[in-house]
Amino acid sequence: MKVTKLGALASGAVLVLGACSSAATPSPSTSGAASTAPSAATSAAASGGATKGTIHIAISLPLQGSELAASQPIINGVLLAVKQAGGTAGGYTVDVPQSAIYDDALNGAHDPQTGAANMTKIVADASTVAVVASLNSNVAQAEIPISNAAGLLQCSPANTNPGLTQGAPAAQLRTKPNNYIRVVTTDNLQGPAAAQYIIQTLGKKSVYIIDDTETYGKGIADAFEAEFKKEGGTVVKHDAAPKTTNDYVSIMTAAAALKPDSIYFGGVTATGGARILLAAAQAGLGNVPFVGGDGINDGSGQTKDSFLNLAGAAAANAFSTLAGIGDFPGKVQFNTDYKAAYGQDATGYAGMGYACGQVILDAINRAAATNPADMAGLREAVRVAATDTSHSYTTILGPVTFDANGDTSQHIVSIYAVDPTAAGGKGDWVFKIQVNYGAK
């Protein structure tokens, strides 16, 4: 497959900007979002449109360390979607209370066991009809069996590992009908898109690969490697280094001796991203393109603990992918509304968080029309409505349907490069192209 430029080259069209800050932004903590977030419940009361009581949408994302840079925009997107819907759906007041926003990180990084513990608490709240979770695929692996057993709709704005929805690995996570959907595509497209970009656009023929050994990182690196070889490229070596690695310099010094044209990293900022890039620069690979997946596209150089913030000037030749549409139909209006609500630009998967909110609200509307007898009945009706493969959602990302596995109909990967002059000279991700595999 060849890279197809569907999105116009966006010279200066910065999609991923800004730092998490300001009084209008929720302040994530282990106990939830700050009261300064847009208040869906307040809006609902003002609208007078809700008469059936209050129901909750929960969120579980990592809210510590460098991963907060990726999670905060998602939370903001969900809250904005609920607020703009007037905080109502199906005759219910829909709220995302502070107590329903959970931190699935431990000691500064995402943690599957913490995610599972969060999900156990979330499903126990009878007023919760859906959850937006998670950021990391190995956390989702721990959460899905719990949300599935409880029949709770789970919408992910960021999970990309194919095993969550496809084949035997996905079947092993479920004991009941499917409850899981995601608005991003999978790493068996995201990894190959990066491989094609390196060879076809950057003109590099060899690569050194390093992954973090985790579900997401190894999975996307393996998918990248297979496509890179298929495209005729040479993989000089593929190393695996867990997030506990202390000495990346020796690893990258050995890699430099192999003289790769490019470097591919499978993982997230918290599991080595910027540290590996800095080690590569120290080893003499500073001018070699460094490419990663959505795990390193987590805000500008102004965003505390983001990949670009930690890597600094060393990131000037870095590239990343996002497993979703970058040039989406409602992008301009969304960016305007987001900045008005939070005083900062939308970054990373903010639009995907908003889309999850739209999907959940749509499902609540249709579920309520079935007149469920009680909250348990409403939760099940929401699950059934959301996973209805015949329903087309109108979202900020464009029309979306979900297949029987819960995968989105949008098979699109977007590619970004670093503009070192953006974000006040701190550097930022700039949208370059998007590849629509659904059109091939």
Side-chain angles (χ1 to χ4, degrees):
M1 284 182 279
K2 300 297 181 183
V3 172
T4 303
K5 296 183 178 181
L6 292 183
L9 287 174
S11 58
V14 180
L15 181 62
V16 184
L17 299 170
C20 299
S21 63
S22 88
T25 303
S27 300
S29 68
T30 54
S31 60
S35 60
T36 49
S39 172
T42 300
S43 299
S47 72
T51 60
K52 297 180 179 178
T54 299
I55 56 177
H56 295 159
I57 298 172
I59 299 174
S60 184
L61 297 168
L63 305 178
Q64 300 178 30
S66 62
E67 291 181 301
L68 175 59
S71 296
Q72 185 67 72
I74 294 172
I75 295 171
N76 291 348
V78 175
L79 293 172
L80 186 59
V82 175
K83 179 177 183 290
Q84 291 189 335
T88 66
Y92 294 92
T93 294
V94 180
D95 195 13
V96 188
Q98 181 172 344
S99 58
I101 300 181
Y102 291 83
D103 182 359
D104 69 29
L106 179 67
N107 297 324
H110 60 277
D111 178 65
Q113 286 68 43
T114 301
N118 289 346
M119 192 59 71
T120 299
K121 296 174 184 175
I122 289 168
V123 301
D125 181 356
S127 66
T128 299
V129 298
V131 57
V132 177
S134 57
L135 185 70
N136 305 94
S137 293
N138 61 351
V139 176
Q141 283 178 318
E143 293 176 336
I144 291 173
I146 300 168
S147 62
N148 179 259
L152 180 69
L153 171 62
Q154 181 174 348
C155 181
S156 174
N159 291 155
T160 52
N161 186 267
L164 298 177
T165 53
Q166 302 168 14
Q172 292 173 359
L173 300 176
R174 294 160 173 80
T175 55
K176 293 185 176 180
N178 185 43
N179 68 306
Y180 176 88
I181 56 178
R182 53 181 164 191
V183 296
V184 291
T185 193
T186 51
D187 290 335
N188 46 9
L189 297 180
Q190 186 179 195
Q196 293 161 15
Y197 189 77
I198 290 175
I199 288 181
Q200 297 175 20
T201 302
L202 299 182
K204 305 301 181 183
K205 304 301 182 186
S206 68
V207 67
Y208 167 76
I209 303 172
I210 182 168
D211 70 61
D212 65 3
T213 75
E214 297 197 1
T215 301
Y216 161 74
K218 183 180 187 308
I220 193 172
D222 288 347
F224 169 88
E225 179 175 357
E227 184 66 21
F228 198 84
K229 291 177 177 175
K230 182 180 175 182
E231 290 278 329
T234 299
V235 177
V236 299
K237 192 179 183 184
H238 184 160
D239 279 328
K243 62 185 178 185
T244 53
T245 300
N246 292 318
D247 181 14
Y248 287 111
V249 174
S250 61
I251 295 174
M252 298 313 296
T253 299
L258 302 174
K259 302 186 182 307
D261 292 336
S262 58
I263 300 170
Y264 185 79
F265 168 60
V268 303
T269 302
T271 59
R275 287 179 288 158
I276 292 173
L277 174 56
L278 291 169
Q282 188 173 339
L285 293 172
N287 293 324
V288 172
F290 183 94
V291 184
D294 50 353
I296 64 170
N297 191 322
D298 51 10
S300 77
Q302 293 179 330
T303 305
K304 185 177 183 297
D305 293 332
S306 69
F307 172 81
L308 296 183
N309 178 259
L310 297 173
N317 204 18
F319 299 82
S320 69
T321 53
L322 285 180
I325 186 170
D327 187 18
F328 50 88
K331 177 174 177 291
V332 173
Q333 186 61 53
F334 173 70
N335 286 349
T336 299
D337 294 344
Y338 187 99
K339 190 160 189 173
Y342 301 107
Q344 59 193 262
D345 293 299
T347 63
Y349 281 141
M352 282 58 180
Y354 188 96
C356 263
Q358 288 182 301
V359 167
I360 291 170
L361 293 167
D362 185 313
I364 293 171
N365 275 321
R366 289 180 290 119
T370 66
N371 298 314
D374 53 22
M375 290 304 296
L378 177 62
R379 177 183 284 188
E380 172 61 8
V382 170
R383 183 200 66 76
V384 170
T387 57
D388 180 357
T389 58
S390 68
H391 184 71
S392 180
Y393 291 91
T394 300
T395 77
I396 190 175
L397 308 177
V400 170
T401 60
F402 298 103
D403 66 19
N405 297 323
D407 279 329
T408 176
S409 57
Q410 288 194 344
H411 298 161
I412 299 173
V413 178
S414 300
I415 296 173
Y416 296 78
V418 172
D419 178 358
T421 67
K426 298 293 186 181
D428 204 353
W429 295 110
V430 179
F431 172 74
K432 301 298 289 184
I433 63 171
Q434 58 193 30
V435 189
N436 187 351
Y437 289 93
K440 293 180 180 294

